[in-house]
Amino acid sequence: MTTSKKLRAWVMTIGAVFCGAAPVGSEAQAARVEAEVTAIADAMLASIHDLRTLAALATAADPHVAALARQRLRAAGPAGLAAFTELHADALATALRPRADAGALARMLGLSAGTGPSAAELQLQDSLDEICAQRDCAAARLYWYTDLEQAKAAARASGKPIVSLRLLGDLRDELSCANSRFFRALLYPDPAVAALLQTEFVLHWQSERPAPKITIDFGDGRSIESTITGNSAHHVLDQDGRPVDVLPGLTTPKTFIADLQRAAQLARSSAGLSPTARAAALRSHHAARLADLERRFNAELAAIGQGPRRMGQGGRLEAAPRAGRAAPIAVSKARIEVPMLGALGEDVERLSDEELWARLGERRLAELELSSASLSLLRKQQWRSGDAAQDAADFERALADLRGAVALDTVRNEFDLHQRIHRWFVADAASLDLEALNRRVYNELFLTPRSDPWLGLAAPTIYTGLVGGGRRVQARL
């Protein structure tokens, strides 16, 4: 008999003693016994302080016992998460592996094989997600606070800075905004990223607003549901919750780690300073980062045969001395021919902004290494038809496209969005509290201000042939 069944049987026996034998057919007496049993079970679980015992009960067959155990583990913080993952390590490793028979199951049912774990695996993963407060936590094992004051208390106790994620939607939901889903799949499972977040930071997330969802209903029982628009940012705070930097959007793990390490050092070194000295330290740090980004940006431009440019406050690449397509697309040829054509006084066409970002993104592909944990999760989630050869080809193409998108996001977020954040700190370091900074991020960088309840998805100047342009407001309690 399992621990939970023994517990339940023992509690039922005690309940019968307290409440008396229930007459056959007496619903009121049965309800009374059940209420007494539940109360006794609650009291017994409240008396259990051993985290390993709670970890065993967290996946108990009795849903009430399991729920209470998970709540206790969640309340215990990272130590509760560690107890659960250590006890269930083998089962979690099995649950993370893609199923060998997934293709056959998809052919038989005519459905995607991207999902389909057993009931026990689902319970295990759902339990872990609840303790972590993050969907797909098994790949990273990160503990997230959802209350900033609790995160600040943990940060002060540990002397660690805080990473505070702002996102659209709920990090515990599958359909949180796309960027947060990519964080869960590509960043957090990376061993180096996970280790850095676990050991050097206190983690917190907060929803900026619900994530807009879009559903395509094929009318025959099939549908596609996803999110549309929205972006996420990691605020790095000192132990008192004061911002020192913001990492906007998605980047490669390598870039994310480097930015986190710099921000952590700044958070620690500036934490004990007076307001004036702290503001000066922030301005100095971000001015140095701006200078470094400009140097690196122009080095990247030179490598693809482009002359120097600078990024304006509005995000547009400002005109600079002409350079560009000295030689066509080949980088090696461009590096030779652009200087010669310039020396001859011949005009050279500049790459458009779109072309330039694409070329810079291609150069970042070499640094993008996805961890085995990420690849395993991607394979597990990817839609599959059941045709093994076609599914393998589709996955490789999807992976190549994803890598290209992440590389492009990295250069745009680094050289465009992040440099503008550095400028804000240089100009306003003394007045940028967390909420003010977050409003600027969503208003000016992500272009999804709170003042627009429709997130730019409802165009009042376009006629749709639908009453109210198809917009509806339904009250929710």
Side-chain angles (χ1 to χ4, degrees), residues 338-414:
V338 166
M340 292 192 297
L341 290 172
L344 294 172
E346 183 171 341
D347 271 348
V348 179
E349 183 181 359
R350 297 169 72 239
L351 289 174
S352 69
D353 286 3
E354 183 177 353
E355 292 169 320
L356 183 143
W357 287 121
R359 293 279 295 279
L360 293 181
E362 290 171 3
R363 289 177 52 79
R364 286 301 178 93
L365 281 172
E367 79 171 45
L368 179 54
E369 296 183 8
L370 299 182
S371 68
S372 59
S374 288
L375 291 173
S376 178
L377 184 58
L378 292 176
R379 289 191 178 95
K380 193 176 182 68
Q381 293 176 333
Q382 181 72 6
W383 189 90
R384 293 189 288 273
S385 67
D387 182 324
Q390 184 62 52
D391 291 342
D394 288 345
F395 180 77
E396 290 305 315
R397 180 171 179 178
L399 186 59
D401 289 345
L402 177 62
R403 286 171 52 83
V406 174
L408 179 57
D409 271 349
T410 299
V411 294
R412 290 300 301 261
N413 289 328
E414 183 179 19

Side-chain angles (χ1 to χ4, degrees), residues 61-132:
D62 187 304
H64 183 74
V65 170
L68 287 175
R70 290 194 297 270
Q71 291 170 16
R72 294 284 307 283
L73 289 171
R74 169 79 187 151
L81 171 61
F84 185 90
T85 56
E86 288 169 8
L87 182 65
H88 300 285
D90 292 341
L92 286 170
T94 300
L96 281 174
R97 286 196 292 267
R99 293 176 167 276
D101 61 346
L105 180 63
R107 284 194 297 274
M108 183 172 63
L109 299 179
L111 301 173
S112 166
T115 57
S118 67
E121 289 172 338
L122 276 176
Q123 184 189 30
L124 185 70
Q125 293 178 37
D126 288 347
S127 298
L128 181 59
D129 289 354
E130 182 180 338
I131 297 167
C132 293

Side-chain angles (χ1 to χ4, degrees), residues 130-406:
E130 182 180 338
I131 297 167
C132 293
Q134 180 210 306
R135 175 84 174 190
D136 297 324
C137 184
R141 321 287 173 90
L142 300 176
Y143 182 90
W144 295 87
Y145 289 92
T146 56
D147 182 284
L148 183 57
E149 292 306 313
Q150 291 180 359
K152 287 159 65 174
R156 293 188 190 104
S158 63
K160 296 177 182 179
I162 300 168
V163 169
S164 180
L165 169 66
R166 293 296 179 94
L167 72 155
L168 270 62
D170 189 313
L171 195 63
R172 295 165 293 196
D173 292 345
E174 181 180 18
L175 287 175
S176 60
C177 65
N179 257 12
S180 63
R181 300 199 301 271
F182 290 150
F183 297 160
R184 294 195 303 244
L186 307 180
L187 283 185
Y188 304 154
D190 183 272
V193 172
L196 180 64
L197 291 174
Q198 287 170 351
T199 59
E200 301 299 323
F201 292 94
V202 170
L203 305 183
H204 164 261
W205 67 259
Q206 181 174 327
S207 178
E208 176 70 10
R209 61 200 296 176
K213 300 177 181 66
I214 187 167
T215 300
I216 302 173
D217 189 336
F218 288 85
D220 59 2
R222 295 175 303 131
S223 65
I224 298 173
E225 186 177 18
S226 187
T227 56
I228 185 169
T229 197
N231 211 327
S232 306
H234 292 90
H235 293 264
V236 183
L237 319 175
D238 66 18
Q239 60 189 33
D240 293 317
R242 298 174 298 180
V244 299
D245 202 357
V246 187
L247 315 185
L250 178 65
T251 61
T252 64
K254 179 180 177 181
T255 297
F256 188 60
I257 288 171
D259 284 338
L260 282 177
Q261 289 173 331
R262 283 189 289 263
Q265 183 177 1
L266 177 62
R268 289 190 173 95
S269 64
S270 63
L273 301 178
S274 69
T276 300
R278 180 178 182 275
L282 293 182
R283 282 193 294 268
S284 176
H285 170 89
H286 289 282
R289 293 300 305 137
L290 269 175
D292 182 64
L293 281 179
E294 184 175 359
R295 176 189 60 77
R296 289 171 48 217
F297 183 59
N298 281 299
E300 293 280 332
L301 292 178
I304 60 172
Q306 293 285 289
R309 307 187 193 188
R310 68 183 301 273
M311 189 69 68
Q313 286 277 25
R316 294 286 301 173
L317 290 168
E318 296 178 351
R322 288 184 62 85
R325 287 186 192 147
I329 299 301
V331 173
S332 58
K333 187 176 181 182
R335 295 179 69 178
I336 297 171
E337 294 182 2
V338 166
M340 292 192 297
L341 290 172
L344 294 172
E346 183 171 341
D347 271 348
V348 179
E349 183 181 359
R350 297 169 72 239
L351 289 174
S352 69
D353 286 3
E354 183 177 353
E355 292 169 320
L356 183 143
W357 287 121
R359 293 279 295 279
L360 293 181
E362 290 171 3
R363 289 177 52 79
R364 286 301 178 93
L365 281 172
E367 79 171 45
L368 179 54
E369 296 183 8
L370 299 182
S371 68
S372 59
S374 288
L375 291 173
S376 178
L377 184 58
L378 292 176
R379 289 191 178 95
K380 193 176 182 68
Q381 293 176 333
Q382 181 72 6
W383 189 90
R384 293 189 288 273
S385 67
D387 182 324
Q390 184 62 52
D391 291 342
D394 288 345
F395 180 77
E396 290 305 315
R397 180 171 179 178
L399 186 59
D401 289 345
L402 177 62
R403 286 171 52 83
V406 174

